Amino acid sequence: TVTSKLKFHHYFVKCVLTCSTKNLPKWGFEQGEVSCNPTTRDPNSMWNVEDNHFSKLPNSSVHDLAPSFFSRFIESHKVMLQGNSGLKPKEGEMTSRPWEWPINLRGQWFSAGDDKTRIYLLGNPVIWWANIVFLIIFLVIYSYSSFKCQRGVSESPEITQERENTMLTASW
């Protein structure tokens, strides 16, 4: 990943150099169109420096500039969020909300490139409802166990060990 970013402001015209998200046709080698945008907060106005040749700068290794795991994690999630935010359903296509998936009120439609191929993903109601029931049971048992521990109820070591093993297995 490249971490150096800069923005080009035109002093007299009061605009920033931006690249559009739409690619030019083949005659433009399918590159993005570059223009001067008066909106200075445009996210497409940030430019990356991938290579620099300047003899007066000290030599440094790329490993010194490598981003940390956390910054790469944040960057990858930003890229995924940006890519997924542009997805829109096709016209006339029935869509469902994420909260409708666990209760199987309506499934998810997936379409291929042509309009003839469609896939309808319903999910498995047995697995969904069983997971929800086991999650509720786990939360009740965990809460009950926590209250007992906080109140100082003494139990035999075998029961304590069995409960801890059960909680560890259930939480996994």
Side-chain angles (χ1 to χ4, degrees):
T1 59
V2 180
T3 58
S4 60
K5 295 185 178 191
L6 67 122
K7 189 182 286 193
F8 295 105
H9 289 269
H10 194 285
Y11 180 74
F12 296 113
V13 184
K14 305 271 192 274
C15 64
V16 291
L17 190 66
T18 60
C19 181
S20 82
T21 56
K22 294 182 181 177
N23 292 340
L24 291 171
K26 289 197 183 240
W27 58 263
F29 302 104
E30 297 178 354
Q31 297 179 2
E33 179 183 8
V34 177
S35 62
C36 199
N37 190 349
T39 307
T40 59
R41 294 181 185 251
D42 188 3
N44 295 324
S45 65
M46 296 303 290
W47 297 86
N48 296 323
V49 178
E50 294 179 2
D51 200 8
N52 184 10
H53 299 285
F54 188 61
S55 60
K56 294 183 180 180
L57 285 176
N59 289 335
S60 63
S61 173
V62 177
H63 296 293
D64 297 338
L65 304 173
S68 66
F69 168 77
F70 188 68
S71 63
R72 286 185 292 160
F73 180 79
I74 296 296
E75 181 187 9
S76 67
H77 279 75
K78 282 182 181 177
V79 169
M80 285 188 286
L81 190 67
Q82 184 180 10
N84 290 336
S85 66
L87 298 175
K88 302 288 184 222
K90 292 182 178 179
E91 188 163 335
E93 195 170 72
M94 216 171 85
T95 59
S96 60
R97 305 260 182 209
W99 63 268
E100 295 174 331
W101 302 338
I103 58 176
N104 289 315
L105 184 63
R106 194 180 301 156
Q108 303 174 44
W109 279 103
F110 293 98
S111 301
D114 56 353
D115 289 335
K116 297 176 184 176
T117 308
R118 292 181 184 246
I119 300 169
Y120 186 71
L121 178 64
L122 177 59
N124 189 334
V126 174
I127 292 176
W128 275 106
W129 286 105
N131 282 335
I132 290 172
V133 167
F134 286 126
L135 180 65
I136 291 170
I137 290 171
F138 171 75
L139 291 174
V140 168
I141 292 173
Y142 183 78
S143 300
Y144 176 71
S145 177
S146 295
F147 289 138
K148 278 176 56 176
C149 185
Q150 287 178 356
R151 293 186 184 266
V153 175
S154 60
E155 297 176 331
S156 67
E158 295 86 20
I159 292 176
T160 304
Q161 184 63 34
E162 182 181 343
R163 184 185 67 226
E164 288 178 2
N165 289 343
T166 303
M167 295 307 288
L168 182 65
T169 305
S171 64
W172 179 81

